[in-house]
Amino acid sequence: MLFAAALWLHAGAGAAEKVMVEWTFAQPGQFQGWQANGHIQGAQVAQGVLSGRAVGNDPILEYQPSLNLVASPWQVIEIRLSANRDGMCQVFWSNTREGRYGGFSGAKTTDFYVVGDGAMRTYRLLPFWHREGKIVRLRLDLADGMEFALDHVRVVELDMPPVADTPHFQFDQGLAGWQAWGLGRLWLTNQTLAWQSATHGDFLWAPPVPWDASKMNYVVLQMAAAAGREGRIYFATDRQSGLHSLAFPIISDGQMRYYNVDMLAAPAWQGRILALGVAPTDAIQSPAFIRAVTGSDTPLGPPQLKTVLFALDTATPRSGKPATLKAIVHNQGGSIASNLQAHLNLPRNLRLLRPLVPLPATLAVDEEAQASWQIQADAPGLYEAALQVTAPQAEPSTASARIIVPSTPPPRRPAAYVPPPQPVRGPWDVGVYYFPGWRTASQWHPVQRFPERQPLLGWYQEGLPEIADWHIKWAVEHGITFFAYDWYWVKGSRQLEHALHDGYFKARYRQLLKFCLLWANHNPPQTHSLEDSLEVTRYWISHYFQRPEYYRLDGKPVVIIFSPHNFRSDLGVEGTRRAFAAMREECRRAGLPGLFLVACVSGPQEAAEEGYDAVTCYNWAALGLRGEEKRGPFSTLIEGYHRQWEALITQGRLPLMLPLSGGWDSRPWHGETAMVRFGRTPELFKQHLRQARAWLERPEARPRLLPAILIEAWNEWGEGSYIEPHQEHGFAYLDAIREAFTSAPAPHQDLAPVDVGLGPYDVPPEPPGRTAWTFAQDAEGWDNTMNCDAVKVEDGVLRTLTAGQDPALFGPPMQASASHWTKVSLRLRLTPTAGPPFRDHAQLFWRTKRWAESEASSLRFPVEVDGQWHDYELRVSENLRWRGIITRLRLDPANRAGVRVELEEIRLAN
């Protein structure tokens, strides 16, 4: 869950304000129109507060009478409450009582993080609900298991300064209408804004800015900060509700410099910009200084060099063997960089053999260039190579590359196959989620800009038995006992089975590692039913449960359900219980002792009434973040996990399979707007593991815990949660598991394929200059993802079947200048599998070197689902974000399940 829609604030704002509506609970027994639902226990009004305890999966306080509040951008929701546990709460609001949920929807919410220390705190939220026109419904959703006391709720209107008449702010004449939001301190010094935040969520707020987002691609700051990792731009628009934000890295050396913040990286940057805010640094109590803020359609200032990549092109360097060191340099400034020079500095025992590709003499605005060198390590060790790139009028760009050259075993004859594993294990099962998403160049492409994530197997072709055997070997030699494969089923349609069916099932060493299924039921509404539950169970029985490698608890095959909410939404609580009872009976008819169902939950009481045997989670990536924060240290994430374990163990009604996190940083998928838990290290992960083991060893906790842990994940490379051996840390995460959860001796030998003459296993590359695909012989790098069956090519046509509301086909990596192409043309035939023809919508997305796919970098177009061939011509150049270098296309051919898709051609055109 992302939290860009809200601000977590203790109190106060810089602007004056007027109370529009207010509820206090001064009179005992008087709820003032607020009503608790059945998931809140003991609701009462006494001693000046409305209090109670959230005991279900959807605890709600709703204001029942109709409001008639005229909505404006400058209104604030203020909530004062105390709670006994941390948690994410939400305010829902709507301008209607019509619709499936009486006007409420997930798009009309403001999230905020509540601190569970028992102290009464004030939370001030900026909903930017102006698009509603008026607010007639309001509700507060609390966190599961939270005991709370609500002092008041009010809506206030801020008294804002006049609309700014310029896109450029300087402060030689004063504050220019800028003010503080939150508890931060703002002052003027030497014609410069000085700012010091007091808490997370404090920022500087400009006067209202009527900017056209299509003409203001950049927010340019001249600023200096002495501490911190990043700044943040806040904004609101007339196109979407909510307060949005975009983080940008800063250099915290106290020097005044330009920051050209590319706002097109924020998908919400569209339409008319209403509000603009700046947090110049994320360092609390550290002064920062802003000389100017400008909206611009191009970068400004001198050339600005940034080394966006500096790393080896292999994850397995070995002493005495050449390797290639590569750099990519980007000019982020507003002027051409000329006379570029790259200065490489290598430590002792790491030698330069020869330069390979030099930097060009000049680098234009918003362009990047590559350089590379061939190097060699003379001995094992941990090395750090340094690079400095210079150009006149530009600050030097520096970067370093951490290179681990391990001690390798004595030379041996090349192996014919993966060497036999030497398993170790401890008293508890150790499971790891496995994401089967890595079989094509297109799937790896977004991750390759993050070379520290490169697996020791290379950018491998998943689904090969030899790949699976390396995974099995490394897992069992470090105490891992089972993989939980992400598994997809929508009414009989299945996707992404290659890693399990083609890899693991055909692997030589599969008997050494158990497996189970995580049913990743990201299913469309009304696709769970009693009949479908029986059908999927029969499939499990015939294809998985009878295998000796299938993981069992109490003799029963284990299945983890990713989204209990989707089951509950389709079937209700009682319907879900009946479905699970029928599934268990089906297993018993097949000679099994039953079925062990584990629900992924976020709170203590979720899923307790629905017939599950136990609970766990896939990930709780946002734990420890506050309000709109999307970035925070990994250390606070594992602290949040520990608190969540305790809540589930002490308050939950079902046993817990302890979940652990391998980290989170989804920038390859979601770009710079992604959630990031930085500072992830093997040492912190080992601490996380030891905390889990300590819980398992507590006698009083054992009845509440399953004898297993479950780690997310082996290979979520795009989400930044991975423990599979990789370039940055090698085997360190697996070694942490071996040390914490087995009694095996610490000294052991870890082999990579290069050590025994095997590999490489990289996926075949696609021609990067290609701009047309006609499927004459094969899929030409195009592949399916979730909600789309496997692709096949017949008679020069790519074919698939949609399985959900968000089917997608991903194209191969490409390198096409957007300025050279104005259109994308495609020939498509869509046929319904049942029912009459209908009209639907398709969508074309694109990724660039600057940003990931998003709704903003896409084009919707109507399609006919009628069994006939149609030619579609998409004028992509009319979209503001069709610019720079296009690196991948994605086609969502329809918007519902059960559509046969045939694609004859897709090409870029003028």
Side-chain angles (χ1 to χ4, degrees):
M1 185 183 293
L2 302 182
F3 315 120
L7 254 299
W8 174 58
L9 297 169
H10 290 293
E17 55 195 46
K18 174 186 176 182
V19 176
M20 306 298 292
V21 61
E22 179 179 37
W23 299 273
T24 60
F25 304 99
Q27 298 298 319
Q30 298 298 310
F31 284 77
Q32 297 194 50
W34 290 84
Q35 182 174 317
N37 74 346
H39 291 189
I40 293 179
Q41 207 172 64
Q44 63 173 341
V45 174
Q47 298 180 334
V49 296
L50 191 167
S51 61
R53 180 181 179 184
V55 296
N57 53 45
D58 201 13
I60 293 172
L61 284 173
E62 183 178 342
Y63 183 66
Q64 289 293 332
S66 285
L67 281 168
N68 191 20
L69 176 66
V70 176
S72 87
W74 315 116
Q75 287 166 344
V76 176
I77 305 170
E78 182 177 290
I79 299 172
R80 183 165 174 80
L81 62 78
S82 65
N84 71 329
R85 64 175 290 251
D86 294 1
M88 188 59 58
C89 298
Q90 290 179 298
V91 177
F92 282 76
W93 34 266
S94 178
N95 67 350
T96 180
R97 289 182 174 271
E98 303 298 322
R100 183 179 180 188
Y101 299 107
F104 289 133
S105 73
K108 299 178 181 181
T109 63
T110 303
D111 304 337
F112 65 106
Y113 184 81
V114 169
V115 179
D117 60 0
M120 190 65 71
R121 295 171 180 267
T122 300
Y123 301 88
R124 293 175 59 88
L125 318 175
L126 291 167
F128 282 100
W129 54 20
H130 46 284
R131 288 174 52 84
E132 296 295 282
K134 65 177 180 179
I135 305 299
V136 301
R137 298 198 72 187
L138 193 65
R139 90 181 200 204
L140 171 62
D141 285 24
L142 298 154
D144 182 20
M146 176 181 285
E147 293 181 11
F148 67 92
L150 180 61
D151 179 77
H152 71 248
V153 179
R154 65 170 62 113
V155 177
V156 301
E157 181 92 21
L158 301 178
D159 183 15
M160 298 299 293
V163 174
D165 59 0
T166 175
H168 178 67
F169 296 97
Q170 284 186 291
F171 307 103
D172 50 352
Q173 302 297 318
L175 296 178
W178 285 66
Q179 54 194 317
W181 176 259
L183 299 179
R185 188 166 69 96
L186 170 65
W187 69 100
L188 197 65
T189 176
N190 298 325
Q191 300 182 349
T192 300
L193 285 186
W195 167 253
Q196 188 175 39
S197 62
T199 185
H200 294 282
D202 293 349
F203 66 91
L204 291 166
W205 203 349
V209 287
W211 290 1
D212 181 347
S214 67
K215 299 177 181 177
M216 301 293 178
N217 303 162
Y218 291 86
V219 173
V220 184
L221 305 171
Q222 286 179 267
M223 55 165 271
R229 299 170 58 93
E230 65 183 23
R232 187 173 291 272
I233 304 294
Y234 294 94
F235 64 95
T237 83
D238 66 347
R239 294 279 186 90
Q240 295 185 34
S241 301
L243 181 69
H244 308 274
S245 71
L246 178 67
F248 60 96
I250 62 173
I251 301 173
S252 44
D253 60 359
Q255 299 299 309
M256 189 67 65
R257 54 173 49 85
Y258 279 82
Y259 291 90
N260 287 287
V261 184
D262 178 9
M263 297 308 298
L264 294 184
W269 188 263
Q270 299 182 66
R272 186 165 61 92
I273 306 303
L274 304 177
L276 182 75
V278 177
T281 176
D282 57 353
I284 305 300
Q285 302 290 348
S286 178
F289 302 91
I290 300 177
R291 182 172 293 163
V293 180
T294 305
S296 175
D297 62 346
T298 61
L300 302 177
Q304 189 174 16
L305 303 175
K306 180 181 180 181
T307 305
V308 295
L309 183 147
F310 180 51
L312 288 181
D313 69 350
T314 176
T316 54
R318 294 295 184 261
S319 58
K321 294 186 177 181
T324 299
L325 189 60
K326 184 170 72 173
I328 299 177
V329 180
H330 181 211
N331 181 8
Q332 298 180 324
S335 305
I336 295 174
S338 58
N339 194 25
L340 261 68
Q341 300 288 328
H343 309 279
L344 182 66
N345 185 23
L346 300 178
R348 185 171 175 268
N349 288 334
L350 195 63
R351 293 187 293 117
L352 174 65
L353 299 183
R354 62 191 178 102
L356 295 175
V357 177
L359 283 175
T362 62
L363 192 58
V365 172
D366 198 28
E367 286 192 356
E368 57 182 45
Q370 294 190 20
S372 59
W373 305 263
Q374 189 178 70
I375 64 170
Q376 180 175 299
D378 292 330
L382 174 60
Y383 300 100
E384 187 168 296
L387 177 69
Q388 184 181 69
V389 181
T390 62
Q393 285 81 52
E395 289 188 31
S397 173
T398 60
S400 62
R402 185 174 182 266
I403 299 171
I404 302 174
V405 181
S407 298
T408 54
R412 59 164 68 190
R413 294 167 59 187
Y417 194 70
V418 181
Q422 305 297 318
V424 300
R425 68 160 297 155
W428 299 282
D429 286 324
V430 177
V432 185
Y433 288 116
Y434 187 107
F435 173 62
W438 311 108
R439 62 180 174 182
T440 67
S442 177
Q443 292 162 324
W444 282 115
H445 174 66
V447 184
Q448 289 172 338
R449 298 281 283 196
F450 298 80
E452 72 281 359
R453 304 188 189 198
Q454 185 179 16
L456 293 195
L457 291 172
W459 308 111
Y460 53 80
Q461 192 170 356
E462 191 177 57
L464 298 176
E466 194 165 329
I467 296 293
D469 271 324
W470 277 112
H471 287 169
I472 292 167
K473 174 180 173 65
W474 291 339
V476 301
E477 289 184 342
H478 294 86
I480 293 169
T481 57
F482 70 96
F483 276 175
Y485 284 88
D486 294 3
W487 188 83
Y488 303 86
W489 165 288
V490 182
K491 297 180 69 173
S493 177
R494 307 181 313 278
Q495 302 88 41
L496 304 183
E497 292 180 332
H498 56 281
L500 182 58
H501 287 221
D502 300 332
Y504 175 86
F505 285 170
K506 298 176 182 178
R508 184 177 299 179
Y509 306 127
R510 66 183 181 277
Q511 76 279 1
L512 300 177
L513 182 74
K514 301 291 185 182
F515 82 99
C516 71
L517 303 180
L518 164 79
W519 182 4
N521 59 327
H522 309 281
N523 293 18
Q526 304 308 312
T527 53
H528 298 87
S529 66
L530 176 59
E531 295 75 17
D532 187 70
S533 298
L534 289 171
E535 185 179 350
V536 74
T537 304
R538 294 176 189 127
Y539 188 89
W540 291 340
I541 292 168
S542 61
H543 289 80
Y544 306 122
F545 290 172
Q546 306 291 357
R547 289 178 172 270
E549 300 90 5
Y550 200 89
Y551 180 62
R552 293 170 168 80
L553 287 170
D554 299 333
K556 303 170 187 176
V558 173
V559 173
I560 305 162
I561 305 296
F562 179 86
S563 179
H565 169 79
N566 285 346
F567 251 106
R568 185 168 58 245
S569 178
D570 284 354
L571 299 178
V573 172
E574 289 305 316
T576 300
R577 288 183 67 88
R578 286 195 296 271
F580 289 171
M583 294 163 74
R584 292 186 173 99
E585 181 59 29
E586 194 71 21
C587 288
R588 285 190 284 269
R589 286 197 198 98
L592 297 164
L595 177 63
F596 199 98
L597 292 169
V598 184
C600 292
V601 301
S602 59
Q605 307 306 328
E606 292 181 15
E609 302 293 336
E610 294 157 22
Y612 291 94
D613 296 283
V615 296
T616 189
C617 85
Y618 193 71
N619 61 66
W620 294 318
L623 289 180
L625 295 180
R626 302 170 176 177
E628 93 294 349
E629 287 183 345
K630 295 182 182 179
R631 305 200 178 193
F634 181 65
S635 58
T636 63
L637 177 61
I638 63 175
E639 290 166 6
Y641 263 74
H642 193 267
R643 291 193 298 270
Q644 194 80 326
W645 293 341
E646 185 170 16
L648 288 163
I649 293 167
T650 59
Q651 301 176 29
R653 296 165 56 188
L654 292 172
L656 172 67
M657 183 181 289
L658 280 169
L660 286 85
S661 172
W664 188 274
D665 178 355
S666 62
R667 284 176 296 164
W669 284 169
H670 306 127
E672 290 306 313
T673 60
M675 185 187 300
V676 176
R677 306 313 296 261
F678 55 80
R680 176 185 101 117
T681 66
E683 291 72 25
L684 283 172
F685 182 63
K686 188 185 300 182
Q687 174 186 325
H688 196 26
L689 291 161
R690 287 171 173 165
Q691 289 174 340
R693 177 164 182 158
W695 272 109
L696 289 166
E697 290 174 338
R698 290 189 190 185
E700 71 277 11
R702 286 175 190 164
R704 309 294 305 150
L705 293 170
L706 298 180
I709 65 169
L710 189 50
I711 301 167
E712 196 263 342
W714 179 261
N715 60 343
E716 282 278 19
W717 302 106
E719 290 183 349
S721 184
Y722 49 89
I723 63 171
E724 179 182 341
H726 57 278
Q727 182 181 119
E728 184 178 20
H729 294 294
F731 287 86
Y733 285 90
L734 297 189
D735 288 343
I737 296 171
R738 179 183 171 110
E739 180 179 328
F741 270 84
T742 81
S743 57
H748 64 285
Q749 185 179 83
D750 289 322
L751 290 176
V754 68
D755 299 320
V756 291
L758 295 176
Y761 302 107
D762 297 79
V763 296
E766 296 292 331
R770 193 170 195 167
T771 57
W773 299 268
T774 56
F775 313 112
Q777 295 180 333
D778 57 30
E780 297 179 358
W782 285 78
D783 204 1
N784 69 312
T785 183
M786 296 178 293
N787 296 324
C788 216
D789 279 357
V791 301
K792 57 183 178 180
V793 172
E794 297 172 336
D795 304 322
V797 175
L798 184 146
R799 293 185 167 94
T800 188
L801 176 69
T802 67
Q805 290 180 311
D806 193 25
L809 296 169
F810 284 93
M814 56 188 291
Q815 297 281 322
S817 174
S819 63
H820 294 166
W821 309 98
T822 61
K823 295 175 289 190
V824 173
S825 299
L826 56 135
R827 183 167 174 77
L828 187 65
R829 178 162 68 182
L830 304 175
T831 307
T833 55
F838 59 91
R839 173 168 283 194
D840 202 358
H841 280 86
Q843 196 166 7
L844 182 77
F845 294 81
W846 55 88
R847 172 181 286 265
T848 78
K849 289 184 176 180
R850 287 168 56 183
W851 52 76
E853 293 102 338
S854 73
E855 288 292 322
S857 57
S858 74
L859 193 64
R860 278 181 196 272
F861 58 102
V863 291
E864 302 295 334
V865 186
D866 59 1
Q868 303 297 316
W869 284 104
H870 294 276
D871 294 306
Y872 299 96
E873 186 175 86
L874 312 180
R875 297 186 176 277
V876 288
S877 62
E878 295 176 2
N879 185 296
L880 179 64
R881 287 171 171 79
W882 182 263
R883 58 170 58 196
I885 302 299
I886 308 300
T887 60
R888 190 175 73 177
L889 298 178
R890 164 184 154 185
L891 175 64
D892 292 10
N895 198 35
R896 66 176 74 178
V899 176
R900 297 192 187 281
V901 178
E902 295 172 280
L903 181 63
E904 186 177 85
E905 179 183 49
I906 182 168
R907 65 172 62 243
L908 275 59
N910 287 315

